[in-house]
Amino acid sequence: MMIILAMALITGVMAFFRAMGWMPGSFALSGDKIGVVHVDGMILDSSRVVDFIRTLEEDNSVKGVLLRVDSPGGAIAPSQEIYAAVKKLNAVKPVVASYGSMAASGGYYCSCPARIIYANSGSITASIGVMAEFVTVADAMEKFGIKPEVLTTGKYKAAGTPLRNLTDAQREQMLDLMHDLHDQFVDHVAEARGMDRARVAAIADGRAVTGRQALSLGLVDRIGTQSDAIAELKRESGIEGRAALVEGPVTKQSFVRELMGALKIDLTSSLHQGWTFFYK
């Protein structure tokens, strides 16, 4: 009964905090804070990252934001949504990007609006380009006497189906679509980096480069670690001394775990899973 009552009390307290608009981290520490946005893995959905960026933008105690990227890229539209959110945030408070092992293709795309970009000399980045791949099994099916029928209302509608080889017209249309997406990528990089578009287009051939090569190409600003990027962000934000780090996006977790995090109980086990705090 005591355990049940305690759990009910904790749940009620967390419900009250949520109703008041408080999040773990918003009341645990006072003073200036630095937001840390993690963009990890394949970029297939942007909602959690964009929502967290918006939260940091609206939090006046967060003076600057570190965008920590470790991603090989992903879908185009989600990368563009993160790009737009980072660009908007950087207009309000400084954003410094820091690259881990990889910030390629969509990983580079979404982070290039940052005010300053740090990469390790061995980080893999750039890979500016668009790729589409699919498999057709029409010829193999014919060998087994299987003849599929694909009905469409237009000659382009079934482009990419595995049951039919691309026609010349479909291939041309798909390449035209990809070139437009590629042009958008180049336009955004040139705009965000303040580079001549022709200069970006010249290296936008899908090549991946190291952080050191990216520096010479003008795609990043500094060679350095995440600690170097945080130190630079503190200078850009006018923060002296210690600052709390607010990391996210928040992974959905129980009220009990959120309360434990807010009270700084077993915080080390929740790193990258929610709002975690430590000092630099």
Side-chain angles (χ1 to χ4, degrees), residues 82-163:
I82 299 174
Y83 170 99
V86 171
K87 180 180 177 182
K88 184 172 181 288
L89 175 64
N90 195 44
V92 178
K93 55 189 71 175
V95 178
V96 173
S98 169
Y99 293 166
S101 299
M102 183 173 291
S105 195
Y108 180 74
Y109 195 155
C110 70
S111 60
C112 63
R115 189 168 303 184
I116 301 172
I117 299 177
Y118 274 80
N120 292 283
S121 59
S123 298
I124 304 301
T125 188
S127 188
I128 301 171
V130 179
M131 181 182 74
E133 57 183 16
F134 45 87
V135 176
T136 56
V137 296
D139 294 339
M141 293 178 71
E142 281 190 18
K143 291 182 179 180
F144 289 96
I146 302 172
K147 186 177 180 181
E149 290 287 349
V150 181
L151 303 178
T152 68
T153 56
K155 62 181 179 179
Y156 298 116
K157 185 59 181 176
T161 174
L163 301 179

Side-chain angles (χ1 to χ4, degrees), residues 44-59:
L44 301 176
D45 178 67
S46 62
S47 56
R48 291 173 63 248
V49 172
V50 170
D51 287 347
F52 185 59
I53 289 174
R54 187 177 298 115
T55 298
L56 296 177
E57 180 183 341
E58 295 172 353
D59 188 341

